Amino acid sequence: DQQVKQNSPSLSVQEGRISILNCDYTNSMFDYFLWYKKYPAEGPTFLISISSIKDKNEDGRFTVFLNKSAKHLSLHIVPSQPGDSAVYFCAASPNAGNMLTFGGGTRLMVKP
Amino acid sequence: NAGVMQNPRHLVRRRGQEARLRCSPMKGHSHVYWYRQLPEEGLKFMVYLQKENIIDESGMPKERFSAEFPKEGPSILRIQQVVRGDSAAYFCASSPFGGRRETQYFGPGTRLLVL
């Protein structure tokens, strides 16, 4: 049973446009959410996080939105750049414990 | 390089051999997490360790897998009598205090191939 789902395995966006990556979760015990970016043959790199007490967190070109009632979060990248092309994972942490539960990833391709 | 270090980056083993994967956390971090990524899947939690203690091993297979984080030296993930299904990328992450809502920083991973 997948507790964190990224339903779009891939997304293609034109350079300069907005990229929106989505993530859904089922476990009500999750209260901290993170986005990681991963290039081939490398480890995940932390991008941005959000606590369940917030509904938005922004860091430069990256903004994460959290809708707790819908158990949905999204990552917005504006403007998208070719260097953003990578696999993006959302992850969730429960209010008791430190383990991260990851989604299956979305491959973002930003075309020049 | 102050990041999380893992070695080897690639490891090839034949069925029945042992695999030892090493992880040195970021400087100042004393909490280590191991995750496994099967092809075309997300990362799955295996074990969480603090120096000399296993805190949470709920994601570890019951047999053949063990982990340690000694007082001195790197954390070791050990897989005995490897099988082809163990082929995966194994990632280690670290955090400074093991606190709630603490970001985990990942190493480059060890890619294990079992022939």
Side-chain angles (χ1 to χ4, degrees):
Chain A
D1 178 33
Q2 274 191 289
Q3 298 185 65
V4 178
K5 282 187 181 180
Q6 293 176 253
N7 290 318
S8 298
S10 65
L11 174 68
S12 183
V13 168
Q14 205 67 33
E15 180 179 6
R17 298 289 186 100
I18 183 172
S19 296
I20 300 177
L21 297 98
N22 294 303
C23 180
D24 297 292
Y25 62 96
T26 57
N27 190 338
S28 303
M29 303 297 279
F30 291 145
D31 70 346
Y32 185 59
F33 304 90
L34 308 91
W35 283 94
Y36 286 86
K37 175 167 93 171
K38 186 180 180 303
Y39 294 117
E42 294 185 13
T45 302
F46 170 72
L47 275 177
I48 191 169
S49 62
I50 187 166
S51 164
S52 59
I53 61 174
K54 294 186 173 182
D55 54 18
K56 176 182 174 182
N57 189 25
E58 194 171 351
D59 183 1
R61 296 187 298 115
F62 302 93
T63 303
V64 56
F65 295 92
L66 175 62
N67 182 334
K68 281 186 295 182
S69 60
K71 293 192 175 67
H72 177 84
L73 64 154
S74 61
L75 174 68
H76 293 210
I77 307 174
V78 181
S80 302
Q81 300 172 354
D84 295 330
S85 297
V87 177
Y88 288 77
F89 290 98
C90 71
S93 177
N95 56 16
N98 298 62
M99 59 181 277
L100 294 178
T101 300
F102 282 82
T106 296
R107 184 177 304 277
L108 173 66
M109 291 163 284
V110 180
K111 298 179 181 177
Chain B
N1 184 351
V4 178
M5 298 178 67
Q6 291 187 249
N7 68 80
R9 294 290 304 272
H10 299 274
L11 183 61
V12 180
R13 285 286 179 266
R14 296 193 179 279
R15 281 179 295 169
Q17 291 184 318
E18 178 179 287
R20 282 191 181 226
L21 289 63
R22 295 174 195 79
C23 169
S24 296
M26 284 179 73
K27 188 176 181 181
H29 288 194
S30 57
H31 297 258
V32 163
Y33 314 80
W34 285 93
Y35 293 82
R36 175 165 67 175
Q37 183 185 25
L38 295 172
E40 306 302 320
E41 293 187 12
L43 284 74
K44 293 212 170 22
F45 169 79
M46 299 181 75
V47 61
Y48 162 38
L49 310 103
Q50 196 182 351
K51 285 280 186 183
E52 299 185 281
N53 284 306
I54 296 175
I55 308 299
D56 181 350
E57 56 181 347
S58 58
M60 285 280 268
K62 295 288 181 257
E63 297 176 347
R64 303 187 297 108
F65 285 72
S66 62
E68 62 177 6
F69 190 14
K71 188 176 179 180
E72 302 290 339
S75 175
I76 307 277
L77 179 67
R78 183 182 176 206
I79 311 173
Q80 295 178 288
Q81 299 176 317
V82 295
V83 301
R84 288 213 174 115
D86 297 333
S87 295
Y90 291 82
F91 293 97
C92 165
S94 73
S95 68
F97 307 113
R100 289 284 301 117
R101 300 174 181 172
E102 197 171 72
T103 298
Q104 296 176 22
Y105 295 90
F106 283 81
T110 294
R111 277 136 191 93
L112 172 65
L113 176 62
V114 180
L115 301 176

